[in-house]
Each structure stands twice: as structure tokens, then as C-alpha cells.
Amino acid sequence: MNRPLLWMLGSIVVLGLLITTMAGVNFSSQTTSTDGQPPIVLYCAASNRAVMEAIRERYEDEYAREIQIQYGPSQTLLSSVDVSGAGDLFLPADDSYLKLAQQKGLIREILPIADMQVVVAVRRQDAENIQSLDDILSDSVKLVQASPETAAVGKLVQQTLQQSGQWDDVSAATVAYRATVTEVASDIVVGAADVGFVYDAVLHTYPDLVAVELPELKPAVSRVAVGVIDQSKQPTAALHFARYVSAKDRGLIQYDQQGFQTAGHDVWADVPELSVFAGSMLRPAIEDTIAAFEEREGVTVNRVYNGCGILVAQMQAGQHPDAYFACDQEFMNQVHDLFPQPVQVSQNELVILVQKGNPHNIASLKNLAREGLRVGIGHEKQCAMGWITQNTFREGGVQEEIMPNVTVQTPTGDMLVNQLQTGSLDAAVAYLSNAAGAGEFLDAIQITGIECSTAVQPWAVNKESSHPETASRLFQKICSTESQEIFAAEGFRWRLESDEIR
Amino acid sequence: MNSVADRPPHPPTSIAPPLRRRSDAPFFLVMGGISSGFILLIVLLLAADILFVSFDDFVAALKKPEIQYAFRLTLLSCTAAALLSVWVATPLGYLLSRFQFPGRMAIDTLVDIPIVLPPLVLGLSLLILFHLPVGGWELESWLRDRVGFPVTYQWPAVVLAQFTVACAFSVRTMRVTFDQIDPRPENVARTLGCTRGQAFLQIVLPQAWRGMIAATTIAWARALGEFGPILVFAGATRMRTEVLSTTVFLELSIGQLNAAVAVSLLMVLMAIVVLLILRLLGTELGS
């Protein structure tokens, strides 16, 4: 056998050894979870590597769950997520990529982490010479920018300066466009450029560079956020780590140290407990959604359903839920100091509920004043429905005539429905949603011509909540298409615009 | 017919002065000048890198466990990709060099595709190939679930990404090698009773050895510098699929210029050592 052939055959043995070694090296490098669960796979922008490695290390120590992180450029990672459909979390350099991914249906939940301000980067010794936009536009200054086509920071600078009418001058003064923000910073470090637009957080790893803040760039702020990949096979575990990354007393400590702007956010809890107060009428519309949210997120939602008057009294007595879903705006107004930013989600109409077939021929509010009728309504102090009912009676000019027939005032509409079913009432004034599950034995008669007979349901998160982000995600779940369908089926009309959902 | 005697006698000639031997200095000056321009550029590049990074930075980079892991994986994966490349390039180069067959032109062109394809697109194409659902069947799922050999985002993806590009260069080299080997000796061997296989193994292969070493060298070097396809197809997972080229990118991404340059210099050192070994091996076998 000739020597070359011998060597070639020998190379097969070498190849086998190489493959065995690589497999061995890889397997030995894996940290296995104590519970044998698969690792959480995170696609992470390379710019977040330093901070993410520190968080990963701490998380693995605390929970013995392996985190596998793939670093790369955000757009490349997005393509990988798109093509492979694998992985659990995606953390790009800024949230514009998450929005793009969400449009493609690749991302479910988004958890905000930190903000980044666009600033002018300049070498420390040149900082005195660069104080304004005019200084940057000087002929003697070499300006480089991240490309608006490839980098979010470039796009943000372009949008901001276009709005102030300064983009054309800045664009004309730019000597080169770079693909990424780190290339811009590196150019300035090595002296290829004098100034460039970068995120303030980027400069943390460039000790030779300093940031100059320009008033023109004040609105140029980007956000770092982590998204849960839609096809994740372990969303609860993924969300657990995502919550850890975005918790103010866990991951955000690292982000803060790296120069990112972190404010607000949740306090860390292994299994967060969220308390939600909601009007009883909303229970059928939101209960299933909340249960699904609990299961997916691995959190506990302590919900309290009751008449809104009672709930408001409890809150005024010192109970502070994380979120409040009121039956009507009026009750939200009463706790405005706790919930300063409510959004109106849905509306519900008052109707007259009667036995199936309408044996008493009731056609309008006025008919409820007939002698001998047993009428049930909500309690005006205990629930929004009772309060609105009284307003409606007043507006309709029938309050004094009907009230003698009112035999019961309950704190919730469900109780009225029950009493109608048992035959202890002939008619009741309740929400259309109260009758949604009782269509077989009740008829609903519309109240027409009186505007105030419609209740509007607002949602708000407590400004003192220790889990505002989790509460916001619950709200996003309540605003999902599936949830809106449940609202419609329960007799509610959806009124929140999609751009108001936060 | 004129006889020799009729010819006029040669005029008396003076002895010609000896041809003055001109100096070769201008030749070497021009050739050397042009050549040294390129050599100087490379030396200056390396010198700039060495001056940019301190020895402490270099040592600090080498001490990082993830860089040590990337070093090991780079060495192993590049060698595996290079060996695989030569194994594939030798028969393919031989067939393309010696035979005319239907579709030869098309195959010849196809072999060059990995060379001309933008690196990131090559990685993306590999990723698509392994995740393309065909009637509910997917290659990656099949490999992972049935064979127990996941590829995407694992070390095999690193080797495959390196091999895809490196092999194309190897095939080119081997084809040129076989083009330059005279087919007569193997034809003679066949007339003497050798089969085509025997002729290839005993006549052609020993002559092609230097070309094979060159193909291995090129494949190894190309695999070392491979970056885009690895990033897309294998990812850059720490202590799993991170090779030195991706380490350089990752260090640059977080503004660690010193670490990036230190790792680059490490790659240069590594390449010098491995390529020298391969050359020595070639010389040894050639002798």
C-alpha cells in the first residue's frame, strides 16, 4: 500500500477521533438542570453579551436551569428565529426588531428591560470642542453614523432630525454610514472618525469616549426588551427567565451597571402574586383569560369580583390591588389617586330582563311601574349597575313610579338573574352581559333613547404595584383577539383601540 | 553550381568583444519591489495589531475559559472540515479533470457556488435546508428525534458550515492538480492490466500528494476564517458553538477591541503553526 493512501486511511481514524472529541467537549460543557429539563434558548444581540452573561450566571446558580444563549446581530438572529422556528426568547439590540417579529407572528409577550438615549460620541480629549449640532456640522469634524437602513439607532436619528428639519444638513456632513452602532464607536476610538451618534449604553465599554447630549436628540430613545418566541415549547420557563432579566432587583441591576436607563419594572418573585379587583359583571368575560394567563406565565392572580361600590370601599379602606377593572368609569374616578391612568376597554348596556316569552308584556321602563310587578335592580351604592340604573330611571323620568315595585336591590347583576330564574322576580334591570348565559329562560328588552344606560368599563394598573409589568401583560392578554371574542359573546361591546393597549 | 572554391573569401573580421553581461539587479529590484509591497502590507497589519494590544491583554484573553473553548473547537472543527474536504475533493476533482460526462459543466459551476455565495446567505441556506418542511417532514427534526444527532446550533453545524465553503476551494485545487498530472502513466498502467481503481490509487494518488496537501491547507485556512455561515447556522453559543472567528465578532460587538485583536493574533499564530506542520508533512511525504 502506498504512503499517500496509508495517510488518507489514517485521516479517517483522525476524523473519527476529532468528532468524538468535539462531541465529548460539547457534552461535558453542558450544565444540566437538576430537574433534567431542557435548556432555555435565548437569541441575544451581541451588544448585550456582557450584561447577559452576568445575568445568566446568577440565574443558573439560583435556579439550576441552563440558559443557552446565541449571540449575533439582531437582524441575523431574527432571520434564524424565522427560519428555524426554534428557541424560547429573543432579545435584540432594540425593540424595533421585536415589533418586526411580532408583525410576523414570531413573538408573543414582550417584556421591556431598559431605555437607551441617543447621544453624540466623541473622544474624551475632543469633548470640549463638540457641544452643539453646529460643532458636528463643521468641515473639520468627521462624522460617521449608523445606517438608517441597517441599524435602529441610524433610523431613530434620521426620524428625529427629519422632524426638526436638520436631517439634510447632518446627512450632508456625514462622511460614512456604518452597519452597526458599535462600528461607529470603534471608528471614533481608532481615530477614523471624530464624532458619531450612538446609544449612551454603548459607551460604557468605551472608556476613551464620552457622551455629549444634544437637545435635538432628546426624543431619540430606544428600548431594550425581550420577547417570548411564539413557538417556544416551554413558555412558562421562558417567561420565568424573562421576568428575571427584567426584574429591578435581578437582571436590571446588571443593566443599570452597564449604563442602561432602568426605571419602574417588577420586583422579582419566583411565582409573583397579582391581585386584581374586578366588577362582578366582568367575571364571565375575563375569568378564562386570567386562568390561561396564570398557566402560561406561572403566576398567581388573586382576583376579587364584587360590586364596584364594595370594591371601591375596600380600596379606600386600605386594600391596594395591582389592577382594577371597574364596571363603570364612575367607580374608577373614585380611586383615581391609586389608578391615575385608566383606559376604557369595553361597554355594556342596561336591559330589562324578563322571563322567557315575556309573560308580563314589558316593552319599556315605563311598564315596570305596573302595579303588582316584582322588580329587581342593582344597589346604587354597592355596584355600578345600580348607580347607572338609578341615573337611567331619573333620565327616563320613571324613578318615582318604578321604585315602589322594586322588591330587591343586589350588589351584583348575577344575583338578579338567579332570582329571575327562581321566579321570585318578574323583571330586573341588569346588564346585557348578565343575561348572556341565561338566554334559554330569560329575554332581554333593550332600553332605548337614554344615553346614560350604557356603562363603560375601564382598566388601570395601580401606580404603587410591585408587578406593573406583569399586570400590563395580563391586560394585553385581556385585549387579545380571543379575549375580545369572549367579551362579545358575553354581551360587551369592545371599545379600546389597538394603539391604546399597553 | 558554385563550388566552395568559387565562393568569395570571408572578409577578414576582427575578434568581437565579449558580450557584456548586464546586471540582474534591476530585474530583482522590480520583482522584489512589487512583491515586497504586499509582504510589507501584511507585516504592517500584524505590527499594527501587535502594537494595539498589550501583552497583558493577550494573556488575559487566553485565560478566558470561553476563548480556550473556542480555541479547542476551532482547532478540531477546522481540521475535521479540512479532512472531509480533501476526501470529497479528491474524487470530485479527479472526475472533473479526467472525464467528459453529461452535466459536467453544470457540476463544475455548482462547485463554485459556495465560493461566490455571500457567506451569510450560505448560512441562511443551510438553516433553511435543515428546517424546510417537506410534506410534514423536516430534516433537522428527523436528525434530532429519530437519529439522535441534532445539527442546527450544535457543533456539527460548525463543521458543516466550514466544510461547505472549504470543500469548494479544495475541489478547485484538486482539479488543477489532476489537470497537471499526465494521464499517460495511468493509461499505461491500465494497458498492463491495472484496473482504473488500481491506476488511480497506485499511479495518480502518489503524484497528487502535494496537491492534496495544498488542498488541505487551503481548506483548513478557509475554515479558520469562516464566520458568516457559522453565525447563522451554528449560532455563537458560548462554550458550545463559539469558534475564534465568532469570538472576534462578539468581542467587537461589546466594544472590547483589545480582546478582539488579541484573539485575532491568536488565530494568526494558530494558522502559522498548523500551516507549517502541513507543509512539513507535504515535504516529508513528497520525499
Side-chain angles (χ1 to χ4, degrees), chain A residues 431-454:
Chain A
Y431 289 126
L432 182 61
S433 60
N434 292 131
E440 285 178 22
F441 50 88
L442 294 183
D443 280 339
I445 295 148
Q446 206 173 3
I447 298 169
T448 53
I450 303 173
E451 269 188 32
C452 66
S453 63
T454 300

Side-chain angles (χ1 to χ4, degrees), chain A residues 2 8 11 29-30 53 70, chain B residues 87 201 212 238-240:
Chain A
N2 61 49
M8 284 203 73
S11 71
S29 73
Q30 286 181 27
E53 280 302 315
Q70 278 193 38
Chain B
W87 267 96
L201 291 174
M212 289 168 77
R238 241 180 176 190
M239 311 293 276
R240 184 175 292 271

Side-chain angles (χ1 to χ4, degrees), chain B residues 13-67:
Chain B
T13 54
S14 59
I15 296 167
L19 190 65
R20 193 165 65 84
R21 188 175 178 80
R22 286 187 190 168
S23 167
D24 288 337
F27 170 78
F28 286 113
L29 211 60
V30 172
M31 299 296 268
I34 293 169
S35 307
S36 60
F38 179 62
I39 305 294
L40 190 66
L41 176 66
I42 297 171
V43 170
L44 287 176
L45 283 176
L46 288 174
D49 283 350
I50 292 166
L51 289 174
F52 188 82
V53 64
S54 70
F55 184 71
D56 289 344
D57 288 331
F58 190 73
V59 173
L62 287 185
K63 279 183 178 169
K64 286 185 181 175
E66 64 270 20
I67 291 180

